[in-house]
Amino acid sequence: MIFREKFAGWYRNRFVWMEVILLAVSAGAVVLVSSATSQTRPVDVHGQIMTWMRTTLEQADPGAHNHAGHHVQQVTTDEEAKPAVICGVHVYGYEPAEVATLADVQTIYGFHLCGVAEQKRPWDWAVKLAGPVIMDMSTEPPGIQVVEATADVRFVDRLREMFPDRYAQQALKEALAPSEMADLRRRYDAAAGL
């Protein structure tokens, strides 16, 4: 009987309702803070640069990559389309390094590996364009410079001439990440109809 009297009116107690209100207000505050935090996360500039770089290289004529000695099969009829260029990229860095948006980036230093996806031509036999690359975003269309050796200058020396030291060291060691390479091969096979 005492038990029933003691707990029967708990919902009428003003302290219980104050606790319920405080709990609801606290939960609401947590939801507001977490939603505001998720909306103010910094933009993934590096990811945006990778996407922009890949798209720009794929849309550019292979000759714009400035590689010497690579020739793509010429289209013979109006019905045939130019073969797609499929690229994988790795961004070493960009200038200015402290930017918060893609629009503020002036120069990108990275690596590209592109395959010209001629129909039914497997990856191993495709024309490929590869190497460290500098992309100038301040021009329209964007400037694309690849590092190539000349008769007088070795590749390593040319790389060090073109790239800032912090990126040149990476360019001598790194190429594409395994996940980027797998994505490149998958997209190439689809574009080549394999």
Side-chain angles (χ1 to χ4, degrees):
M1 185 78 174
I2 293 175
F3 177 76
R4 186 188 299 174
E5 289 174 8
K6 192 170 187 179
F7 292 104
W10 69 268
Y11 56 88
R12 291 187 209 138
N13 190 332
R14 65 181 168 179
F15 294 113
V16 169
W17 288 110
M18 283 184 6
E19 289 177 15
V20 168
I21 291 170
L22 284 174
L23 182 63
V25 168
S26 298
V30 167
V31 168
L32 286 174
V33 168
S34 66
S35 68
T37 304
S38 66
Q39 291 173 355
T40 59
R41 280 190 194 133
V43 177
D44 179 18
V45 175
H46 189 270
Q48 289 180 350
I49 290 171
M50 281 187 67
T51 301
W52 179 87
M53 187 176 171
R54 184 182 306 113
T55 303
T56 301
L57 289 167
E58 288 179 350
Q59 291 174 352
D61 183 59
H65 295 225
N66 292 326
H67 286 277
H70 291 290
H71 302 287
V72 180
Q73 175 182 342
Q74 297 298 315
V75 176
T76 56
T77 68
D78 292 337
E79 295 174 7
E80 296 180 48
K82 278 187 157 182
V85 176
I86 307 299
C87 298
V89 298
H90 179 80
V91 176
Y92 299 135
Y94 47 89
E95 300 293 334
E98 65 279 348
V99 298
T101 65
L102 178 64
D104 296 331
V105 175
Q106 294 294 311
T107 308
I108 301 169
Y109 299 93
F111 177 85
H112 77 301
L113 172 58
C114 300
V116 179
E118 296 168 293
Q119 286 300 300
K120 304 301 180 193
R121 184 175 289 224
W123 173 259
D124 293 340
W125 300 104
V127 172
K128 295 181 189 75
L129 311 165
V133 65
I134 299 171
M135 298 185 73
D136 181 1
M137 293 180 66
S138 65
T139 63
E140 187 57 45
I144 302 170
Q145 285 184 292
V146 295
V147 178
E148 290 188 313
T150 65
D152 302 326
V153 182
R154 296 179 325 154
F155 174 83
V156 172
D157 296 331
R158 184 73 177 129
L159 177 83
R160 289 191 174 124
E161 287 174 6
M162 294 174 67
F163 275 65
D165 288 338
R166 65 183 170 273
Y167 305 134
Q169 293 307 313
Q170 280 183 283
L172 290 171
K173 299 175 190 172
E174 297 179 17
L176 295 183
S179 61
E180 182 74 2
M181 187 64 197
D183 182 57
L184 169 62
R185 291 292 303 270
R186 180 190 54 75
R187 292 184 310 113
Y188 176 89
D189 287 348
L194 299 173

